[in-house]
Amino acid sequence: MIGHKRCFHLPECASRSHGVFMKRVPIPDSTGPKRRPLATVPDLSEHYGVPEKTVHRWHQTQTCVGPLMFRVGKYLRARWDDIEQYDAEQAGGAAA
């Protein structure tokens, strides 16, 4: 049944055989700004026109080259706001 899930979290609903279903309630959108997805290594590579290995080297050498990057599990990620700030600094303008 699409849009429904079995209710297993209540003690009286622990039995799968009774067939109780709860209607899914959509989570309302927050009033804040939409969050952009984090940039991946291929995204950074395409943005700067460099090989992916170079992006990894920027992070590994920690020589302040490239935007701020961090690990999410085993994956390297960057925030688009940090990328735009780094680009503005490299262009000579100060980002707010």
Side-chain angles (χ1 to χ4, degrees), residues 50-89:
V50 297
E52 291 181 16
K53 190 171 185 177
T54 300
V55 175
H56 282 286
R57 192 176 312 118
W58 289 345
H59 178 69
Q60 290 170 353
T61 59
Q62 297 179 359
T63 56
C64 298
V65 177
L68 175 66
M69 293 177 268
F70 52 93
R71 293 253 174 224
V72 177
K74 67 178 185 177
Y75 301 104
L76 191 59
R77 298 288 187 258
R79 291 183 184 92
W80 284 105
D81 293 338
D82 294 336
I83 295 167
E84 291 165 0
Q85 180 180 356
Y86 176 76
D87 291 347
E89 289 171 0

Side-chain angles (χ1 to χ4, degrees), residues 40-55 58:
T40 62
V41 171
D43 292 337
L44 291 167
S45 174
E46 181 180 338
H47 180 76
Y48 290 110
V50 297
E52 291 181 16
K53 190 171 185 177
T54 300
V55 175
W58 289 345

Side-chain angles (χ1 to χ4, degrees), residues 29-30 32-36:
D29 290 336
S30 65
K34 294 280 185 181
R35 291 176 56 180
R36 293 166 69 180

Side-chain angles (χ1 to χ4, degrees), residues 20-43:
V20 173
F21 286 88
M22 293 179 63
K23 186 175 182 179
R24 288 186 188 221
V25 178
I27 298 172
D29 290 336
S30 65
T31 58
K34 294 280 185 181
R35 291 176 56 180
R36 293 166 69 180
L38 298 174
T40 62
V41 171
D43 292 337

Side-chain angles (χ1 to χ4, degrees), residues 4-25:
H4 291 82
K5 63 180 179 180
R6 279 194 187 270
C7 176
F8 295 119
H9 67 282
L10 299 174
E12 60 271 13
C13 297
S15 171
R16 293 179 183 212
S17 62
H18 68 33
V20 173
F21 286 88
M22 293 179 63
K23 186 175 182 179
R24 288 186 188 221
V25 178

